[in-house]
Amino acid sequence: MASSHSSSPVPQSNSSDAFLKKEMDATKRFQPVQSLPDVCPKEPTGDPSNLCDSPSLVVDQHRWTIYHSKVNLPAALNDPRLAKRESDFFTKTWGVDFVDTEVTPSFYLPQITKEHFALYQQEITPREKVHERCKNIYTPKDTFDRTLLHTHDKSRTDLEQVPKIFMKPDFALEDSLTFNAVLPWSHFSTAGGKGNRDAASSKLLQEKLSHYLDIVEVNIAHQISLRSEAFFHAMTSQHELQDYLRKTSQAVKLLREKISKIDKVMCEGSLRVLRLSLTRNNCVKAYSKLKLMATVHQTQPTVQLLLSTSEFVGALDLIATTQEVLQQELQGIHSFRHLGSQLCELEKLIDKMMIAEFSTYARNDLNRPLEDDCHVLEEERLVSLVFGLLKQRKLNFYEIYGDEMIITAKNIIKQCVVNTVSQIEEIDTEVVVKLADQMRMMNFPQWFDLMKNIFSKFTIFLKRIKATLNTIRSVVFLVLDKNQKTRDLEDTLQKNSAKDNPVDTEVAYLTHEGMFISDAFSEGDLPPVAADTTSQRNTSPNSEPCSSDSVSEPECTTDSSSSKEQTSSSVTPGGVEMMISDDMKLTDLELVRLANNIQELLYNASDICHDRSVKFLMARAKDGFLEKLNSNEFVALSRLMEGFIFDTEQICGRKSMSLRGALQSQANRFVNRFHEERKTKLSLLLDNERWKQAEVPAEFQDLVDAVSDGRISLPEKKPAATEERKPTEFLIVEGQKYATVGTVLLLIRIILEYCQCVDNIPSITTDMLTRLSDLLKYFNSRSCQLVLGAGALQVVGLKTITTKNLALSSRCLQLIVHYIPIIRAHFEARLQPKQFSMLRHFDHITKDYHDHIAEISAKLVAIMDSLFDKLLSKYEVKAPVPSTCFRNICKQMAKMHEAIYDLLPEEQTQMLFLRINASYKLHLKRQLAHLNVVNDGGPLNGLVTSDVAFYTGNLQALKGLNNLDLNMAEIWEQKR
């Protein structure tokens, strides 16, 4: 590589057209240089020496610069000293990756597009059209054309004599084929001796080449002669041009001297001040960078210290801040090249530590002693863990808490069973090893107390879970609220910035403490918070922005990097104050979904407690233990389970169906057993019932009185009184006397047991209604079979079904009918509106009972009707009076009245005898018509009238029938 160190008053040129080269003496060439920035410098880079690297008209006349170097690139690339050919110069020096590396475009050079040439095209297009038009109009002279054509033809003829190989653009004698074609070896061969013919051939070849040279020279001279006029014109103006250039050089030299003096007097000092100020600012920035590097260097020890105190949020904030500083302010620092990856690994380690810490917290929180205290365990620790997990987007941490809930629920039941079994001496734990078998050995009171203890433990367990999950949800809602406030603030700032006036940026090239003046102007348009931050960063206590004292602490140094991570203070429901940073990149949808999942976890906790309770219940029910419970025990168990279900619904806010379903299943089994027991009992009572009036014990009268007062329940057993109350003959119900049998008294008690069971277990209301309807239907049908169907003759061994039995049966049915509306109202108050259709069963039962009562009345009338038919068919109208027939009829009527009067009410007795009297009149009328006895006042008529008067007197003499209208005139045929 060759280079020249000469300088000239004007920029040097590499072409041969330069006219003047003026050497400067050595003293001027190497004198000290005073650098001066260009008029439009580049953006400051912090190095004052880089301000003058570009060419300058003022400085270049005094010193040699890199722009004076001249390089023969082919000589550099074709190095003859190389042992073998390398790929090229650049790959040899800088490696094989040099060629493939893309050079980033300089942001100092503008991007040139077609739009930049639009104005030029608009200006040159008309000129081009004029040029083309003029070229078409102009025609050369014919003589000149002929001469030129003749000369051209002659030159072409001469040049055609020269071989074409000499005219090729790639002609090179270095090529062996080309060399052999131009100089054949046969002309220089000396083999076979010295031949004169070979010498002649060589001479002939030399002459031929000389001839070719002459032809070429002649053509060149001809071409020069064609342009001789322009050549001589240029030579004549050579001296004039040299004089003009000499004057110009002197003027330029004088101008440069003046500019140099102005530079020394007016500009050099000011620029030096700016340069020193920039240097000082760079030193301050370097000092700040070093302090920042020292602070960043202490990141790992500080993080380890925070982790030792479980300050996960602080450690994560410190790591995030350090990562941002490394990417923005310390990018490219060689000593920190591995720190970013180390911090990433440390962040992953913190994630694992937080998950392990949360698992430990959940285990400790759920496994502490279950007392009435339901406060949150270490709320500050919990809030810190939740914030850290949210910051790291570990949104499934609640699943860890859910797994611990399942384990703890199992342990609660196990511990309660162990504690209870250890207190029972009858259970030998060495013989019976399994807890389930030990539990099955408990009697109902012991097992009931155990279940009550489990339910109380589960209630406290759910309250603790609710308190903890509420704290976690409050943290999530705080972050969600912070996101909303941040968006509102950004919207407000955008609206304010849209109203700001634009700042004049004409002086944007001048620097202002390391930044453009336009940037300094824009500080006044920042929001108050940002303006304060900028003023704090650029202002020292002594109002010396350029002094070293203005450098703040490392925390203040990173304001530019961590200004985006603004924090706000929030308080959790437990009173724990937390600082929420803005770097939690969680969307509102994610936060809302997480809050819903946490709430769902509380519902799952209720389901878990219910499921474990169901398994505990089913484990005890394997041997049919629950089905063997009596009503009071099952009611107590049902109330206990209903209370626990209600408590869990109040705590968790949602119904859990597993325990309720198990209770319903057991209740259905209880209802079936309850109903079968009562139905079997009623069946046995009916099969042994002799249908005689029974005495009414005082307790049954009290039971009926309680129902009349609106208390449909079994009375509590009263302590034995000093004087026992005697039983009564009748049952008094709302002032009416009811003669009943013992079965009906017990049936009323059974009905009240059904009603009371519905009060105690509301979930079985519909089943109980169906079973009670079935029971009432069974009593109606079975009593009909036994009395009307005379089934009691074979079952009980009665000789006959008397009118007293029939009347007593009718009265018993009337008593049940009296209570059916009361029972219906009781069930209606406990049914849902959509279940009211089931009440139609009572309407059907009432109709069936009324039909049964009517059949009994018809049976009583039929008994007397058959008697009348038998006696009156033998009736003869003759003396004595009254006749034997009428005496027998009156006797049977008196027996009927005696049998039913005390059993049926007076109104029913009168109605019954009116129907019997109608039957009597019908048979009598038929017999009189058969005997041709008419109402003619004759002897026969007188005898009949006497018998009828005897019948009427006897009937009206009966108790309660004295006012009975018998209307005996209907026995005579009406005259037509």
Side-chain angles (χ1 to χ4, degrees), residues 135 307 599 778 909 944:
K135 186 168 65 173
L307 293 180
Q599 183 63 34
Y778 176 77
T909 304
V944 172

Side-chain angles (χ1 to χ4, degrees), residues 40 159 568 614 764 819 878:
C40 297
L159 287 174
S568 63
V614 169
I764 62 174
Y819 282 109
K878 63 181 180 177

Side-chain angles (χ1 to χ4, degrees), residues 814-829:
Q814 294 175 20
L815 178 62
I816 300 301
V817 169
H818 173 78
Y819 282 109
I820 287 179
I822 300 175
I823 299 170
R824 175 193 173 102
H826 180 80
F827 276 88
E828 184 177 3

Side-chain angles (χ1 to χ4, degrees), residues 577-811:
E577 184 173 358
M578 290 297 297
M579 303 300 292
I580 306 176
S581 59
D582 288 344
D583 60 343
M584 289 191 180
K585 304 304 180 182
L586 295 173
T587 63
D588 291 352
L589 181 61
E590 291 175 333
L591 292 172
V592 171
R593 186 182 295 116
L594 177 59
N596 293 336
N597 290 336
I598 294 173
Q599 183 63 34
E600 191 67 26
L601 186 62
L602 180 59
Y603 301 152
N604 293 340
S606 176
D607 294 339
I608 290 170
C609 294
H610 282 231
D611 293 341
R612 301 313 303 179
S613 300
V614 169
K615 290 185 178 181
F616 175 78
L617 187 67
M618 293 296 104
R620 189 66 182 92
K622 281 187 177 180
D623 55 354
F625 172 76
L626 297 180
E627 298 179 3
K628 299 176 183 178
L629 299 179
N630 57 38
S631 301
N632 295 331
E633 291 174 343
F634 188 83
V635 167
L637 177 61
S638 176
R639 287 181 176 177
L640 177 64
M641 296 174 68
E642 288 284 353
F644 176 69
I645 293 172
F646 177 78
D647 292 340
T648 54
E649 290 177 1
Q650 292 295 320
I651 295 172
C652 301
R654 191 179 72 172
K655 294 182 179 180
S656 296
M657 302 308 298
S658 58
L659 185 58
R660 190 183 298 274
L663 176 60
Q664 185 66 37
S665 176
Q666 293 297 326
N668 292 337
R669 296 179 183 178
F670 169 76
V671 168
N672 292 332
R673 181 181 57 80
F674 180 88
H675 176 65
E676 291 299 329
E677 289 180 355
R678 269 73 184 162
K679 189 174 182 180
T680 303
K681 181 179 180 180
L682 179 61
S683 177
L684 293 175
L685 291 174
L686 288 172
D687 290 343
N688 295 289
E689 181 60 56
R690 302 189 67 85
W691 298 100
K692 293 183 178 180
Q693 183 178 358
E695 293 182 343
V696 179
E699 58 175 328
F700 284 96
Q701 185 62 53
D702 295 338
L703 187 64
V704 170
D705 294 341
V707 173
S708 301
D709 295 338
R711 300 190 305 274
I712 304 179
S713 61
L714 295 175
E716 298 180 358
K717 293 183 179 181
K718 299 180 180 179
T722 55
E723 295 182 1
E724 293 185 359
R725 298 167 57 189
K726 294 182 180 181
T728 58
E729 187 177 1
F730 296 95
L731 183 66
I732 308 301
V733 179
E734 297 181 0
Q736 291 189 14
K737 293 181 178 180
Y738 284 90
T740 62
V741 295
T743 301
V744 173
L745 293 177
L746 294 176
L747 177 60
I748 293 175
R749 183 179 182 87
I750 291 173
I751 292 173
L752 294 182
E753 288 177 355
Y754 276 81
C755 295
Q756 187 174 11
C757 194
V758 168
D759 289 337
N760 296 329
I761 312 175
S763 60
I764 62 174
T765 301
T766 55
D767 291 336
M768 278 295 183
L769 189 150
T770 305
R771 301 301 192 282
L772 180 57
S773 301
D774 180 66
L775 186 71
L776 293 176
K777 290 178 181 178
Y778 176 77
F779 173 77
N780 184 40
S781 61
R782 187 60 177 161
S783 61
C784 180
Q785 294 173 3
L786 294 173
V787 179
L788 280 178
L793 299 180
Q794 292 80 20
V795 176
V796 185
L798 295 180
K799 295 180 180 180
T800 182
I801 302 298
T802 63
T803 55
K804 192 169 186 177
N805 297 138
L806 291 172
L808 186 59
S809 175
S810 175
R811 194 55 175 163

Side-chain angles (χ1 to χ4, degrees), residues 1-289:
M1 180 183 295
S3 63
S4 174
H5 294 275
S6 62
S7 63
S8 63
V10 295
Q12 296 292 325
S13 173
N14 292 334
S15 66
S16 60
D17 296 336
F19 297 100
L20 179 63
K21 294 182 180 179
K22 185 175 181 179
E23 294 289 340
M24 302 297 295
D25 55 34
T27 59
K28 292 183 178 180
R29 199 185 318 162
F30 298 102
Q31 66 182 357
V33 180
Q34 300 295 332
S35 61
L36 185 65
D38 199 356
V39 176
C40 297
K42 302 176 182 178
E43 187 176 354
T45 59
D47 188 0
S49 63
N50 292 336
L51 295 175
C52 305
D53 287 345
S54 59
S56 175
L57 296 176
V58 179
V59 181
D60 284 349
Q61 62 178 336
H62 299 296
R63 67 172 181 173
W64 181 90
T65 65
I66 61 173
Y67 300 99
H68 292 83
S69 66
K70 303 174 181 61
V71 181
N72 188 352
L73 190 57
L77 296 177
N78 297 317
D79 191 352
R81 294 173 296 178
L82 292 176
K84 61 179 180 178
R85 181 66 177 167
E86 300 290 342
S87 60
D88 54 29
F89 173 75
F90 301 104
T91 56
K92 184 188 76 170
T93 305
W94 294 314
V96 295
D97 295 334
F98 174 79
V99 178
D100 298 332
T101 303
E102 294 183 0
V103 180
T104 57
S106 174
F107 55 87
Y108 297 110
L109 298 177
Q111 295 291 335
I112 302 301
T113 60
K114 292 183 179 181
E115 284 73 11
H116 290 81
F117 298 95
L119 182 61
Y120 171 75
Q121 290 178 351
Q122 293 177 2
E123 294 179 355
I124 205 64
T125 301
R127 298 181 185 180
E128 182 184 7
K129 293 180 180 179
V130 172
H131 172 71
E132 293 294 336
R133 189 166 54 252
C134 293
K135 186 168 65 173
N136 295 332
I137 294 174
Y138 175 74
T139 56
K141 295 181 179 180
D142 295 341
T143 56
F144 177 78
D145 291 343
R146 286 195 297 270
T147 303
L148 183 60
L149 181 61
H150 175 73
T151 306
H152 180 67
D153 293 340
K154 185 179 181 181
S155 300
R156 176 179 296 179
T157 303
D158 294 339
L159 287 174
E160 287 178 355
Q161 299 177 9
V162 181
K164 299 298 181 180
I165 192 172
F166 293 102
M167 303 300 179
K168 290 183 178 180
D170 55 348
F171 176 80
L173 289 176
E174 293 85 352
D175 189 2
S176 60
L177 297 177
T178 304
F179 186 81
N180 292 331
V182 175
L183 299 173
W185 285 105
S186 60
H187 294 176
F188 303 97
S189 176
T190 58
K194 299 180 180 179
N196 293 329
R197 189 175 58 183
D198 294 336
S201 297
S202 299
K203 185 175 180 180
L204 180 61
L205 178 61
Q206 185 176 2
E207 289 178 356
K208 186 184 292 186
L209 294 176
S210 299
H211 178 65
Y212 293 159
L213 179 60
D214 293 339
I215 291 174
V216 172
E217 288 179 350
V218 168
N219 278 276
I220 291 174
H222 177 67
Q223 295 295 330
I224 293 175
S225 65
L226 293 178
R227 294 167 176 79
S228 60
E229 185 179 356
F231 176 75
F232 288 111
H233 178 72
M235 293 300 295
T236 55
S237 61
Q238 179 79 18
H239 298 289
E240 183 180 355
L241 182 59
Q242 290 181 355
D243 293 339
Y244 180 74
L245 289 176
R246 188 180 300 107
K247 293 179 181 180
T248 302
S249 176
Q250 292 176 356
V252 169
K253 181 179 179 181
L254 180 61
L255 179 60
R256 287 183 174 180
E257 290 178 353
K258 291 182 180 180
I259 291 175
S260 178
K261 291 179 181 180
I262 292 174
D263 178 30
K264 292 180 180 180
V265 175
M266 299 183 65
C267 300
E268 185 176 353
S270 300
L271 291 176
R272 184 179 181 185
V273 170
L274 291 176
R275 191 159 45 249
L276 292 176
S277 176
L278 183 60
T279 303
R280 184 183 180 281
N281 287 338
N282 290 337
C283 292
V284 170
K285 291 179 181 178
Y287 175 69
S288 301
K289 290 289 184 183

